[in-house]
Amino acid sequence: MPPSPDAGPAPTVDQATVDQATVDQATVDLLGLLAYGELTAFERMATDARMSPTVADKIALAKMAAAEFAHFQAISDELDRLGVDRELAMAPFIAPLTAFHNSTAPADWLESLVKAYVGDNIAADFYREIAARLPSPSRELVLKVLDDTGHAAFAVERVRAAISANPTVAGRLALWARRLVGEALTQAQRVGVDRDALTGLLVGVGDLEALAAIFNRIMAAHGRRMAALGLSA
Amino acid sequence: MPPSPDAGPAPTVDQATVDQATVDQATVDLLGLLAYGELTAFERMATDARMSPTVADKIALAKMAAAEFAHFQAISDELDRLGVDRELAMAPFIAPLTAFHNSTAPADWLESLVKAYVGDNIAADFYREIAARLPSPSRELVLKVLDDTGHAAFAVERVRAAISANPTVAGRLALWARRLVGEALTQAQRVGVDRDALTGLLVGVGDLEALAAIFNRIMAAHGRRMAALGLSA
């Protein structure tokens, strides 16, 4: 992975300067990012299912993976509807998403559960913040896809049980979650530098204070998930 | 993998001696075998998708994998309907299916395509022969699941194109297909020795000639698929 250049503080731009062309490129970018994100999440979860200690766990993770593929299909269909080549739309995000997954390959079953829960949800929160600024009906589609997870309870229950059986596990998993967030931020910054239209949507919120509020919302939700797992954020 | 004992020729048993209890255990066995077969096929295809040379190929293999998971769901639901614990039903088949996949891990994208096409279809043909002897509605469900593949064209097209670009590939892939069949037969024999009820259904066809006919049908279909790929069987 090449070192990410310093993005520096986002410049403040008035919402009115975000014109239709920018929004359209941003829509394509977000859909492309989401599509490839779901496709790689599918692949990685299905691969991680091989580490599952029981058949029931294997089935649960495989089900989560299959749901990710259904999401990929929904996003791909939306790109088709917009007349956008889905491979072209995904292309800019292959390198950062591959780099993220390569640098965060879970070493065991618990790490893969934490990645599925913490990693997926922090990404989803970030996508949601951008999606809220997209035109209809892409906005509604993206928000619907992001809401359809429903696998939180499974991961939380398994991780809590593992910590309860062996409390020393908590320290290792908390470090792991921190690494996941760090790598995600590194790649998000890389995407932000390369994709002006996507960044433009967030910059379009008007001021650094609003941008900080978005970041704080995402990190607060992350903290609640870590607490649910029984891990210190 | 422990060496499989020699199963020897199957004894001839009259169809009438295959009583209801045997058929019921055979139904549970076949559904359990199929369920775990679909689950592992899902896992392996999704893993193999990481070797795909293009995003389009990755999507195509991921789609095949997701279809396998849908099949797993359908078979699991049938086990639920019969009041059978699905994990207990799958348990006897974990070792042979794991051994099969561990001994046939594709080294590259073309090997994974040949495995998805040749391996899946020869297994499907074998399951179909057994399923035809199951009671309704399990019979219809299994036959429906087995028919819903529709990914043949993709694998055939890719493998033929690869051979056309580099004819020396054909020899290697033909050897690979032969190894797949050999490993599948080894594990099928292992299952046959362990699972009397399942074997009983096939033995119930009445005589060795009928059993030979089943084997010949399966191998003839395999030969046609190899020819479709441009490989010598």
Side-chain angles (χ1 to χ4, degrees), chain A residues 19-222:
Chain A
D19 66 12
Q20 190 54 39
T22 307
V23 171
D24 286 349
Q25 184 57 50
T27 302
V28 171
D29 273 1
L30 181 60
L31 293 175
L33 170 57
L34 264 171
Y36 203 74
E38 300 282 2
L39 189 61
T40 51
F42 160 80
E43 243 177 40
R44 301 302 169 133
M45 279 186 193
T47 305
D48 292 348
R50 292 170 67 169
M51 291 192 282
S52 56
T54 69
V55 173
D57 286 332
K58 187 191 286 287
I59 294 169
L61 205 63
K63 199 171 190 166
M64 285 163 64
E68 303 279 4
F69 189 75
H71 296 168
F72 163 78
Q73 289 275 40
I75 303 281
S76 291
D77 291 348
E78 177 67 2
L79 283 166
D80 289 349
R81 194 189 67 79
L82 294 173
V84 176
D85 182 304
R86 58 186 186 177
E87 289 189 49
L88 285 179
M90 288 189 269
F93 308 106
I94 294 178
L97 282 162
T98 303
F100 171 73
H101 285 297
N102 285 348
S103 62
T104 58
D108 63 15
W109 170 243
L110 287 173
E111 288 191 3
S112 70
L113 280 184
V114 169
K115 183 174 174 180
Y117 178 61
V118 168
D120 260 39
N121 277 306
I122 204 165
D125 282 346
F126 176 69
Y127 296 148
R128 246 181 231 111
E129 292 284 353
I130 305 181
R133 295 169 178 83
L134 289 183
S136 290
S138 295
R139 179 177 62 232
E140 288 74 18
L141 172 81
V142 169
L143 293 175
K144 183 169 167 286
V145 162
L146 291 173
D147 270 352
D148 174 30
T149 56
H151 43 60
F154 162 72
V156 169
E157 188 229 304
R158 289 296 193 282
V159 172
R160 291 191 77 101
I163 292 172
S164 161
N166 177 8
T168 63
V169 160
R172 176 170 68 86
L173 292 181
L175 279 178
W176 169 244
R178 228 164 289 160
R179 196 170 125 212
L180 289 173
V181 173
E183 295 289 342
L185 287 177
T186 301
Q187 297 307 326
Q189 188 190 31
R190 184 175 168 188
V191 167
V193 169
D194 286 348
R195 308 305 296 175
D196 289 347
L198 211 49
T199 322
L201 273 188
L202 281 182
V203 171
V205 298
D207 54 41
L208 282 177
E209 212 173 306
L211 213 54
I214 291 174
F215 186 78
N216 286 341
R217 273 200 297 278
I218 292 177
M219 293 318 289
H222 170 66

Side-chain angles (χ1 to χ4, degrees), chain B residues 74-116:
Chain B
I75 303 281
S76 291
D77 291 348
E78 177 68 2
L79 283 166
D80 289 350
R81 194 189 66 80
L82 295 172
V84 176
D85 182 305
R86 59 186 186 178
E87 290 189 49
L88 284 180
M90 288 189 268
F93 308 106
I94 294 178
L97 281 162
T98 303
F100 171 73
H101 284 296
N102 285 348
S103 62
T104 59
D108 64 15
W109 171 242
L110 287 174
E111 288 191 3
S112 69
L113 280 184
V114 169
K115 183 173 175 181

